[in-house]
Amino acid sequence: MADNKQIIELYTDLAENPKKNFGWDKGLDNAKAHDYKSEWIEKIPSKVWEYCAAVGNPFKDADIQEGNTVLDLGCGAGVDVLVASIFVGKVGKVYGLDITPKMVELAISHAKLMGVDNVEILEGSFENIDLEDESVDVITSNGAINLTLCKESVFAEIYRVLKPQGKIFFADMIDTSIDEGLCCSMEKSSCCDNVEEDWANCVAGTMRKDELIELIKKSGFINVECTGHTHYTTADTTKGANFKAVKTSSVDKRKLHWDSLYQEPDYTQVLWHQNFPSKSLDLIYKYSSKDKAIIDVG
Ligand SMILES: C[S@@+](CC[C@H](N)C(=O)[O-])C[C@H]1O[C@@H](n2cnc3c(N)ncnc32)[C@H](O)[C@@H]1O
């Protein structure tokens, strides 16, 4: 599999040569093909759109309010950071995070070019996000999460930095090859011809839609949905797709806990089960009378 060095090399090349043919769609036409709104295209300087390597459109489903704090993972040259800055307005805040220093430089200069001062670009990996716990309302990402080997760590970090009931809207490449069956990221890395290049080009690190949804649910998210495929492709076996999910609140967590217990095939096996609730019945007989209502709590 590619390590971060190969990824940084490829995206440095894109940062330095935005017009080069890398074998995948990019640029303004790509953004238009994903239905990026003309309002955003007019507001964001045209130079920025040259770097748009979007594989989908996270803003299609996004619920981002004025004043929100948004974090864009794998922000590249900052297209989606700047789109998010339009949503949150002057009172909101947008962070971009990218591992490629040249992309970070570009994103910073593009924010200056657009004249927005509520944008901050961080250099680093999304496996270790340099932000406080529960500090972000919405996370977006576009064509980046598949590039990491350990997606579990990324979704754990996403969960950590999101506020309770915070949301993630992201587009990513998914594996559409049924032939590869249960091939997970690790296994797939041993069955690709040129794994390092295929990984950095958003091919070898892709997961199947159902695998990815399961992983996101396991990380503590609810309402996890793939909201549709995009036209984007990086190989015969991949397709772009948009996803959304919500971080569980502590109340949701408790509900999930009890719901899952009562879905057990035989919930009479739980520790507190009684075949005959003698203590409760004793109390009810002791205190009940015609003019009293009794509630057996829990
Ligand atoms: C396909 S580009 C997409 C860029 C941008 N989201 C867009 O739509 O134009 C993927 C980006 O993810 C970044 N990236 C890859 N792995 C990363 C990691 N572990 N942490 C942070 N950024 C990463 C790359 O440097 C690159 O800029």
Side-chain angles (χ1 to χ4, degrees):
M1 81 222 59
D3 56 21
N4 288 335
K5 195 168 153 268
Q6 266 95 30
I7 287 170
I8 293 170
E9 267 170 24
L10 176 66
Y11 291 103
T12 301
D13 198 5
L14 172 63
E16 291 173 344
N17 306 291
K19 291 199 164 43
K20 181 172 161 181
N21 183 359
F22 289 87
W24 22 266
D25 291 349
K26 57 182 165 49
L28 180 58
D29 287 344
N30 182 40
K32 286 182 178 167
H34 289 303
D35 290 332
Y36 274 61
K37 286 190 181 167
S38 48
E39 177 204 332
W40 310 334
I41 293 173
E42 279 156 24
K43 282 190 177 152
I44 297 172
S46 56
K47 180 175 177 270
V48 182
W49 293 102
E50 287 181 12
Y51 300 88
C52 174
V55 305
N57 183 346
F59 301 98
K60 255 189 172 167
D61 311 297
D63 171 15
I64 304 175
Q65 307 301 321
E66 197 172 352
N68 275 173
T69 298
V70 175
L71 165 66
D72 185 48
L73 297 177
C75 65
V79 173
D80 286 353
V81 167
L82 298 181
V83 173
S85 79
I86 299 172
F87 277 79
V88 303
K90 283 189 171 39
V91 283
K93 170 99 188 178
V94 185
Y95 292 98
L97 171 70
D98 205 282
I99 201 168
T100 304
K102 283 277 171 204
M103 283 297 185
V104 171
E105 270 175 37
L106 273 175
I108 292 172
S109 72
H110 289 161
K112 276 197 191 128
L113 190 64
M114 187 165 151
V116 284
D117 51 15
N118 59 345
V119 159
E120 194 176 327
I121 309 295
L122 311 169
E123 185 182 321
S125 174
F126 37 56
E127 286 157 27
N128 189 8
I129 303 171
D130 190 14
L131 287 176
E132 299 278 312
D133 295 0
E134 304 193 347
S135 57
V136 170
D137 298 288
V138 173
I139 289 185
T140 57
S141 185
N142 205 334
I145 293 174
N146 73 83
L147 291 168
T148 185
L149 174 64
C150 191
K151 281 133 186 108
E152 286 84 354
S153 318
V154 177
F155 283 100
E157 276 296 85
I158 291 173
Y159 191 89
R160 181 184 67 76
V161 298
L162 273 178
K163 294 178 186 172
Q165 295 197 297
K167 298 179 178 107
I168 169 156
F169 302 94
F170 74 102
D172 214 351
M173 298 309 296
I174 52 165
D175 174 7
T176 51
S177 70
I178 298 162
D179 296 349
E180 282 175 1
L182 286 171
C183 194
C184 77
S185 323
M186 285 291 276
E187 287 161 348
K188 201 183 301 181
S189 66
S190 59
C191 63
C192 286
D193 292 341
N194 187 352
V195 173
E196 290 176 354
E197 200 177 305
D198 282 351
W199 197 288
N201 276 314
C202 298
V203 179
T206 56
M207 293 176 82
R208 290 200 333 258
K209 180 168 69 183
D210 53 338
E211 284 178 313
L212 186 55
I213 289 176
E214 207 41 47
L215 188 151
I216 301 171
K217 282 184 183 167
K218 276 196 182 141
S219 310
F221 290 86
I222 53 169
N223 303 339
V224 187
E225 244 183 89
C226 171
T227 58
H229 291 170
T230 76
H231 69 279
Y232 206 90
T233 182
T234 48
D236 292 345
T237 55
T238 64
K239 217 175 189 11
N242 294 320
F243 291 87
K244 63 178 183 177
V246 181
K247 175 175 172 171
T248 43
S249 65
S250 50
V251 175
D252 292 330
K253 248 191 200 160
R254 278 203 299 273
K255 271 193 197 160
L256 282 175
H257 171 76
W258 292 109
D259 279 350
S260 70
L261 275 175
Y262 284 110
Q263 274 162 22
E264 287 292 315
D266 182 3
Y267 61 81
T268 62
Q269 296 307 306
V270 294
L271 273 180
W272 61 89
H273 179 78
Q274 310 160 82
N275 283 328
F276 187 74
S278 48
K279 186 77 183 167
S280 298
L281 290 174
D282 285 351
L283 288 167
I284 289 168
Y285 291 136
K286 186 168 171 192
Y287 294 110
S288 67
S289 68
K290 276 189 185 151
D291 57 345
K292 280 184 188 151
I294 291 185
I295 178 168
D296 185 5
V297 174

